[in-house]
Amino acid sequence: MTDLPAGAAYLAYDGDALHAGRGPGRSFMIDARCLGGEAVRDAYAHVCALPAPDASLEFDQPEVQQVRRDALAWWIPLLGDALVCLTTFALDASRYAGAMTVTREPVSWADDPFARIFPGTVLRTSLFSDVAPPPGPVLERYAGVAWPGGTF
Amino acid sequence: MTLGPGAVFPDLDLPDHTHRPRRLSELAGGDPLALLFSRGWWCPKEQRYLREVTAAQDEFEVAYARIVVVSIDSPEVQSAFRAGLGARFIFLSDADRVWMDRLGLLEVTDTTHRPYRPTAFTLAPDLTIHGAYDGYWYWGRPTIEELRQDMRAISRDIREDFRA
């Protein structure tokens, strides 16, 4: 895990629960805005990641680019008002370790495009706050921050 | 209101195609922006032009630049039109025409729909207008190459490490 860039925050996942900060479990860098506001109580987090430390791909792999395109094209519109926030999980400047979509209510998790990379697990959480979804079409990351966070 | 190069474009506040309230400066997010006023989904010229813009989104997605379309269509209609185009950029709905008079962009010849006059602006992140295009006649619209050149010029101005 590299130094935390501006606009990023740590999130840990142990397979059963999410924790703000580093550990217990596997630590990821996420879009800091997801932890930056008033938390939505008893939300649902669809965590498409694995606790295994070697479960990662390059962010620039075509399949990782494509699930971000799908998120912009139809996953975010499909979620509508249920969406609280979403973020990818970064291990460092180049490695993708999964993604998370947080909603106010259960949604059609089977449609989550990020689950095509790593399988999803639904967890209840009161950690995350509302973040306006990315307007698109930018897929690239800003200074290594987990998409869609950061700016120049 | 003068909407020419050097002026600052108003910071529009409108719902997007999912009904979520948005502000133009937030959508720019520090990047250059192509702002396209569109008559609406029904116009064959808009369908043609936005298919071309959609084809160009593959460049915008890697080039740190944004695309925003404004029309009088409702968010539901915009969402369907956007899906049909395969667009991954944002649409803003001014179904109540709250900005139309202030911007002076009513198309006066279409008295049935009272849509926006097809107009395009290329903006810096602080919403300063770089280029303005009147697309009432189709050939007045910016070509993709013109949008590309404008995005290049704005990026050169705002990115300190952009070399000639």
Side-chain angles (χ1 to χ4, degrees), chain A residues 18-40:
Chain A
L18 295 161
H19 312 274
R22 303 185 73 167
R26 195 178 184 200
S27 295
F28 308 114
M29 290 186 286
I30 66 168
D31 179 350
R33 296 173 300 171
C34 299
L35 292 168
E38 183 177 352
V40 176

Side-chain angles (χ1 to χ4, degrees), chain B residues 118-138:
Chain B
T119 315
F121 301 90
T122 50
L123 307 178
D126 64 0
L127 308 186
T128 299
I129 298 172
H130 175 83
Y133 302 84
D134 183 345
Y136 177 78
W137 292 98
Y138 190 86

Side-chain angles (χ1 to χ4, degrees), chain B residues 10-154:
Chain B
D11 195 7
L12 307 180
D13 52 344
L14 291 167
D16 70 14
H17 58 277
T18 68
H19 284 278
R20 189 177 292 264
R22 298 286 204 165
R23 188 170 278 281
L24 192 60
S25 55
E26 170 241 328
L27 296 176
D31 290 336
L33 174 70
L35 176 62
L36 311 173
F37 288 87
S38 176
R39 289 191 181 97
W41 72 271
W42 68 86
C43 177
K45 302 174 186 69
E46 304 303 327
Q47 295 169 11
R48 170 65 186 85
Y49 186 65
L50 289 177
R51 281 199 301 273
E52 188 167 332
V53 172
T54 300
Q57 70 186 344
D58 289 0
E59 288 186 70
F60 280 72
E61 75 175 19
V62 296
Y64 300 105
R66 315 285 176 103
I67 302 168
V68 175
V69 176
V70 182
S71 77
I72 57 151
D73 289 333
S74 68
E76 292 82 0
V77 169
Q78 288 184 329
S79 190
F81 186 34
R82 179 180 180 273
L85 291 166
R88 300 189 296 275
F89 46 84
I90 203 160
F91 283 61
L92 296 178
S93 172
D94 192 6
D96 295 329
R97 297 167 177 78
V98 296
W99 278 99
M100 183 178 280
D101 286 344
R102 279 185 271 180
L103 297 172
L105 292 178
L106 169 68
E107 177 169 335
V108 295
T109 52
D110 184 348
T111 56
T112 300
H113 298 101
R114 294 192 301 117
Y116 271 100
R117 183 181 183 95
T119 315
F121 301 90
T122 50
L123 307 178
D126 64 0
L127 308 186
T128 299
I129 298 172
H130 175 83
Y133 302 84
D134 183 345
Y136 177 78
W137 292 98
Y138 190 86
W139 297 121
R141 296 165 192 243
T143 65
I144 298 306
E145 182 56 30
E146 286 171 320
L147 290 178
R148 188 180 288 124
Q149 294 296 333
D150 284 7
M151 294 298 109
R152 173 185 288 176
I154 297 168

Side-chain angles (χ1 to χ4, degrees), chain A:
Chain A
M1 189 75 64
T2 55
D3 292 339
L4 196 62
Y10 285 120
L11 181 74
Y13 176 51
D14 61 12
D16 295 316
L18 295 161
H19 312 274
R22 303 185 73 167
R26 195 178 184 200
S27 295
F28 308 114
M29 290 186 286
I30 66 168
D31 179 350
R33 296 173 300 171
C34 299
L35 292 168
E38 183 177 352
V40 176
R41 294 195 60 78
D42 298 324
Y44 294 80
H46 194 225
V47 181
C48 297
L50 296 171
D54 58 348
S56 68
L57 291 169
E58 297 293 319
F59 258 102
D60 295 337
Q61 291 272 3
E63 63 267 38
V64 181
Q65 294 178 325
Q66 187 58 42
V67 293
R68 282 176 278 168
R69 290 189 189 102
D70 290 344
L72 289 170
W74 52 264
W75 178 233
I76 291 169
L78 187 69
L79 297 170
D81 292 339
L83 177 65
V84 174
C85 62
L86 64 79
T87 181
T88 54
F89 295 160
L91 293 179
D92 52 35
S94 61
R95 286 184 297 161
Y96 168 91
M100 173 185 70
T101 301
V102 182
T103 61
R104 288 180 171 72
E105 58 203 50
V107 298
S108 179
W109 300 120
D111 293 324
D112 187 340
F114 293 105
R116 299 205 306 262
I117 307 288
F118 296 117
T121 301
V122 180
L123 302 171
R124 299 301 297 273
T125 176
S126 297
L127 285 176
F128 304 106
S129 50
D130 282 298
V131 179
V138 175
L139 296 181
E140 291 292 284
R141 290 173 303 133
Y142 293 83
V145 177
W147 185 87
T151 187
F152 288 140

